[in-house]
Amino acid sequence: MDSRQIIVVEHPAAMAAAAAQRLVDRIAHDSRCAVCLTGGSSPEGLYRLLADEPWRGRVPWDRVHWFMGDDRFVPLTDPRSNMGIAQRLFLDRSPAPRGNVHPIPTDTNYPEGAANLYADELQGFYGAEKLDPARPLFDLVLMGLGPDGHVASIYPGSRALDEKQRWVLGVAKAGWEPFVPRVTLTFPTLASTREMLFLVDGAGKRDILRRVFAGGDLPGSRVYSDGALVWMLDRAAAPEGVS
Ligand code: 6PG
């Protein structure tokens, strides 16, 4: 599929509410569902909303499984941990069963070890070692865009850009702060979703968004989705001509 849809909202609060609605719509079916979360500051408004009514009451907590698209190789208790932030902002404050929260295991010795364990966990959840585009792994994958065009922990020029086989990779050197090693899902794994939803806000992202939409050789231009690909921007981030 993958025809890019761009949605511009007025401000970050409107973005959080619109993203919450999309999330709830994507998991409104009767079977088990899976959401892949993202780090960074852009999803924080959404995470806060999910912890409180009315959104909290709209999430079928028993049926939803929460994964993370990339994480910093630090303990969950470290303020830089993406899953730690998501837990503090909403998962720990929600009725989500513990077994439905799937952090990247950053308590291993090396990022590669964590990547292998997380690949096993994702494959166990999916029930196969090979992704079938007709049967997506996730219902929704949330994404952010770095000021250099990176997505998840896939940076410009990184070998992870061309990974087609492995589901998860260790990243020894981060291309953007915080400069700690990372673990990241690869493009084919992130693409295995009914919807990939980018949340990008602030005037500081306008220039990189312009380059991404112009098709520059950047992770943000190369990332794809087997399902819908939605870029939600606030007005401050939207490049000229995008409304
Ligand atoms: C990370 C993120 C990263 C993030 C972008 C955008 O671990 O750093 O997953 O890819 O999404 O850097 O971050 P902001 O939303 O803070 O701009």
Side-chain angles (χ1 to χ4, degrees):
M1 208 164 124
D2 198 30
S3 46
R4 180 162 66 205
Q5 189 192 344
I6 301 176
I7 300 173
V8 180
V9 295
E10 277 314 309
H11 43 64
M15 179 178 289
Q21 187 63 57
R22 294 194 81 87
L23 187 148
V24 163
D25 289 347
R26 281 292 172 191
I27 57 181
H29 54 78
D30 288 339
S31 38
R32 187 179 70 158
C33 8
V35 174
C36 185
L37 301 170
T38 182
S41 57
S42 312
E44 289 187 2
L46 164 66
Y47 294 169
R48 286 200 176 87
L49 283 190
L50 295 176
D52 291 317
E53 296 300 342
W55 296 104
R56 176 191 169 104
R58 295 176 183 158
V59 175
W61 296 100
D62 284 347
R63 290 193 288 102
V64 194
H65 288 255
W66 307 93
F67 294 88
M68 187 55 76
D70 74 308
D71 218 327
R72 293 87 184 262
F73 197 66
V74 295
L76 270 173
T77 48
D78 186 296
R80 295 168 297 183
S81 162
N82 287 340
M83 187 55 103
I85 291 170
Q87 287 183 333
R88 285 187 292 281
L89 290 180
F90 81 105
L91 290 169
D92 286 352
R93 303 174 52 209
S94 77
R98 254 181 180 281
N100 287 16
V101 179
H102 304 265
I104 293 174
T106 51
D107 50 358
T108 49
N109 285 346
Y110 299 102
E112 273 307 330
N116 292 335
L117 285 174
Y118 208 50
D120 287 349
E121 181 155 359
L122 286 165
Q123 288 169 2
F125 180 83
Y126 186 65
E129 288 176 20
K130 212 172 149 23
L131 291 162
D132 173 1
R135 187 171 72 83
L137 168 61
F138 299 116
D139 292 282
L140 181 72
V141 169
L142 295 172
M143 296 281 261
L145 178 70
D148 59 343
H150 76 257
V151 298
S153 287
I154 302 178
Y155 302 96
S158 131
R159 71 180 171 89
L161 285 163
D162 297 311
E163 181 59 54
K164 303 222 169 28
Q165 301 302 323
R166 294 185 57 195
W167 287 38
V168 189
L169 292 178
V171 178
K173 249 182 133 145
W176 198 264
E177 59 189 14
F179 293 103
V180 289
R182 312 290 189 102
V183 179
T184 189
L185 271 57
T186 57
F187 279 165
T189 314
L190 292 163
S192 184
T193 181
R194 294 180 203 286
E195 173 173 328
M196 180 180 285
L197 175 61
F198 274 88
L199 302 178
V200 188
D201 60 16
K205 294 286 172 67
R206 200 183 302 140
D207 188 54
I208 193 66
L209 275 169
R210 188 184 50 72
R211 291 172 56 202
V212 163
F213 292 161
D217 185 16
L218 293 163
S221 321
R222 290 182 55 179
V223 70
Y224 60 95
S225 166
D226 292 340
L229 177 57
V230 180
W231 286 78
M232 195 182 285
L233 323 175
D234 76 344
R235 192 154 302 284
E240 226 174 77
V242 173
S243 54

